[in-house]
Amino acid sequence: MSFAESPNRILYFCSMVFLLVSPNALKAGAKYKDLYKRPTQIPYPASNTYSDARMILGRTLFFDPRLSGSNWISCATCHNPAFSWGDGLAKGIGHGMKELNRRTPTILNLAWGELMFWDGRTESLEEQALGPVASTGEMNLPIDQLLAKISKFEGYQVLFKGAYPEEGITKDTVSKAIATFERSVVSGKAPFDRWIEGDETAISEKAKHGFTLFNEKALCSQCHSGWRFTDEGFYDIGLVGDDKGRGKILPDIETLQYAFKTPTLRNVDHRAPYMHNGSEASLKKVVDFYNKGGDVSRGSKSEHIKALMLSDEEKNALIAFLKTLTSNDAATPVTMLPR
Amino acid sequence: MKRLFLILPFIITQFASAKDHTITQKGKAFSESEITLAPGDNLIFKNDDDTSHNVFSSVEPMKFNLGIQKPGSEAAHKFDSAGVAELRCAIHPKMKIKVTVK
């Protein structure tokens, strides 16, 4: 009997297919791994270098509700570490318990950020820090009153002297201290990172498939790129609403109308609801939103937002992958506030 | 007529010295982080990326907006006045290039 007639030919053929396909299957997404490696240190600007004293002062200020007109709202009220540095609400709540226009964004990983706020209206964490404090709708405390208030506390005098000797308690040093603390808020190593480092057992095969979809058919990495899963770019993704986002800041640039900053996806599983307006209640709803190509068609909508034709299996794989970005971070210590 | 002959070399010299400079966009980055131009030079932006860009500057007198620039396309701006400005991609603000015109 020749090989062509032998029943073993089928076994031989299947073995050859397996040998050709399986290495590729095992290396699913491997070609993208280098794009997602974590950095080894946090960047601090030359104008505001790190010190423990500065970080502790910034953390103290961040958690101090007296940085508000009501003495009730601290930065941490909305940027709550227990809600992955957001507040778990569709829209933030400000002074007088009034609902704000946009969802509170996380402060995770902003040391690597570029422009701050959903609409990118400030250039740095230092420039951003006191915006919400002074905003009448948010913390409602004029800066001169803030400085007068905290200067009365001996504890703050000591903290500022240790952090910024010779500079005093000023708008500048308050901003710099808060920014220094915010830069220290970094999402830890997640199962995804261990897989990137070479541990093939760190995430499931389903999640690996999701990662490949993330970088290919689902087009997520067009905007959610790099280890923080954001390119810091501004895109109109076709959400319903009147809020023009960055378009309000730069009204002459068509592509920025209804465009908002791409948020990080690190620990995204802990930050429902989603989008700048909190309109999507779950990761499943987010994936469904993108799968249909958004809710609105208009000239400013990003070229990357289009119907994706994902199957249910593919959608589930994407969500499985997104969940691998969640790290088991240590709790943030909260120091006693100066009295 | 005599006056025309006198100023003609000057005019020709000005046109002859204006240069074109090309900056490519790839990997959501400009090929240079800064460039120095002479007044009248053209800066050509070539999109070698797989995503659109939109170069702009909001600083007078170098305020301009090149609009959306799809992959594979080119867009140019002529810098007539001396000055310094940071150009950015409106979509990808990490893309920056400092332009000095002198």
Side-chain angles (χ1 to χ4, degrees):
Chain A
M1 181 192 288
S2 68
F3 178 75
E5 295 163 330
S6 163
N8 288 335
R9 72 186 186 283
I10 296 170
L11 182 61
Y12 175 78
F13 177 72
C14 290
S15 303
M16 291 308 293
V17 170
F18 177 78
L19 283 171
L20 283 168
V21 169
S22 63
N24 293 331
L26 283 173
K27 291 176 187 171
K31 61 180 174 177
Y32 304 111
K33 278 186 168 184
D34 280 347
L35 301 174
Y36 293 91
K37 286 192 172 149
R38 292 177 68 92
T40 53
Q41 52 191 13
I42 303 170
Y44 289 88
S47 55
N48 190 20
T49 54
Y50 177 84
S51 73
D52 287 345
R54 290 175 177 184
M55 189 278 289
I56 289 167
L57 168 59
R59 187 176 65 203
T60 306
L61 290 164
F62 194 89
F63 282 87
D64 194 336
R66 294 167 299 185
L67 267 68
S68 64
S70 63
N71 291 317
W72 245 73
I73 307 174
S74 68
C75 306
T77 303
C78 300
H79 297 287
N80 187 337
F83 284 120
S84 191
W85 302 94
D87 55 20
L89 301 170
K91 303 268 176 74
I93 303 285
H95 181 73
M97 297 303 290
K98 293 217 173 94
E99 187 178 80
L100 301 171
N101 293 333
R102 296 171 184 163
R103 184 171 68 90
T104 302
T106 184
I107 64 162
L108 269 178
N109 306 327
L110 287 182
W112 290 267
E114 187 67 26
L115 301 178
M116 302 300 155
F117 293 108
W118 282 112
D119 55 17
R121 63 185 182 270
T122 60
E123 293 269 346
S124 68
L125 286 169
E126 284 79 357
E127 200 182 320
Q128 181 276 338
L130 293 182
V133 173
S135 163
T136 52
E138 296 186 51
M139 294 162 80
N140 193 38
L141 183 64
I143 302 306
D144 56 342
Q145 291 181 28
L146 159 69
L147 298 175
K149 203 191 262 196
I150 62 177
S151 295
K152 286 191 306 211
F153 299 110
E154 189 182 338
Y156 269 125
Q157 292 167 18
V158 170
L159 286 171
F160 273 89
K161 209 167 185 177
Y164 298 99
E166 317 300 329
E167 290 188 55
I169 302 176
T170 66
K171 179 181 174 185
D172 195 44
T173 50
V174 172
S175 302
K176 290 202 292 190
I178 292 174
T180 302
F181 166 66
E182 288 173 331
R183 288 193 176 95
S184 75
V185 177
V186 179
S187 56
K189 217 177 246 190
F192 171 77
D193 297 304
R194 291 196 290 279
W195 178 60
I196 292 292
E197 288 172 353
D199 180 359
E200 286 296 325
T201 65
I203 66 175
S204 65
E205 292 306 309
K206 189 176 177 183
K208 290 175 194 173
H209 179 45
F211 177 66
T212 300
L213 289 165
F214 187 90
N215 285 280
E216 294 179 359
K217 185 179 179 184
L219 302 176
C220 312
S221 63
Q222 291 291 334
C223 310
H224 292 286
S225 54
W227 79 274
R228 289 182 303 126
F229 295 87
T230 170
D231 63 356
E232 296 287 320
F234 292 82
Y235 304 91
D236 172 9
I237 60 171
L239 284 161
V240 171
D242 299 327
D243 191 345
K244 290 215 170 170
R246 187 130 176 89
K248 206 173 166 193
I249 311 299
L250 293 168
D252 296 336
I253 302 183
E254 191 198 357
T255 196
L256 292 183
Q257 306 312 301
Y258 305 99
F260 295 86
K261 193 169 79 167
T262 307
T264 181
L265 296 183
R266 286 283 173 173
N267 297 11
V268 69
D269 193 29
H270 286 173
R271 280 198 303 282
Y274 303 102
M275 308 305 188
H276 72 277
N277 57 5
S279 58
E280 307 301 328
S282 64
L283 286 177
K284 183 176 183 316
K285 288 205 176 291
V286 169
V287 172
D288 284 339
F289 169 84
Y290 282 114
N291 192 42
K292 67 182 167 178
D295 285 333
V296 171
S297 285
R298 53 194 166 213
S300 52
K301 197 165 97 171
S302 170
E303 62 199 338
H304 302 305
I305 305 300
K306 53 183 113 172
L308 301 172
M309 314 295 241
L310 296 170
S311 67
D312 286 345
E313 184 273 330
E314 287 172 327
K315 290 183 203 174
N316 290 336
L318 265 176
I319 293 170
F321 159 66
L322 290 172
K323 290 183 177 181
T324 70
L325 303 181
T326 301
S327 53
N328 191 17
D329 295 340
T332 300
V334 180
T335 45
M336 294 297 288
L337 297 174
R339 298 295 297 269
Chain B
M1 190 61 148
K2 206 184 207 178
R3 269 190 216 156
L4 179 62
F5 278 119
L6 284 170
I7 64 171
L8 198 56
F10 173 77
I11 295 169
I12 291 169
T13 308
Q14 289 308 302
F15 277 110
S17 66
K19 283 183 185 153
D20 288 347
H21 306 262
T22 300
I23 298 289
T24 54
Q25 299 150 319
K26 189 158 179 72
K28 294 178 187 171
F30 291 120
S31 54
E32 307 289 337
S33 58
E34 54 186 301
I35 190 167
T36 301
L37 311 173
D41 281 1
N42 279 315
L43 198 49
I44 301 164
F45 291 91
K46 189 164 178 275
N47 190 343
D48 280 347
D49 222 335
D50 60 358
T51 186
S52 294
H53 294 295
N54 188 145
V55 180
F56 83 107
S57 166
S58 51
V59 176
E60 296 286 7
M62 289 197 257
K63 185 175 177 180
F64 69 91
N65 170 21
L66 292 183
I68 199 81
Q69 195 188 339
K70 290 193 179 301
S73 68
E74 288 186 1
H77 181 75
K78 187 178 172 196
F79 289 83
D80 287 319
S81 314
V84 182
E86 183 177 78
L87 276 51
R88 242 177 175 151
C89 172
I91 304 167
H92 311 105
K94 279 188 176 287
M95 289 177 69
K96 292 178 277 199
I97 178 169
K98 181 181 168 189
V99 176
T100 304
V101 184
K102 60 179 182 181

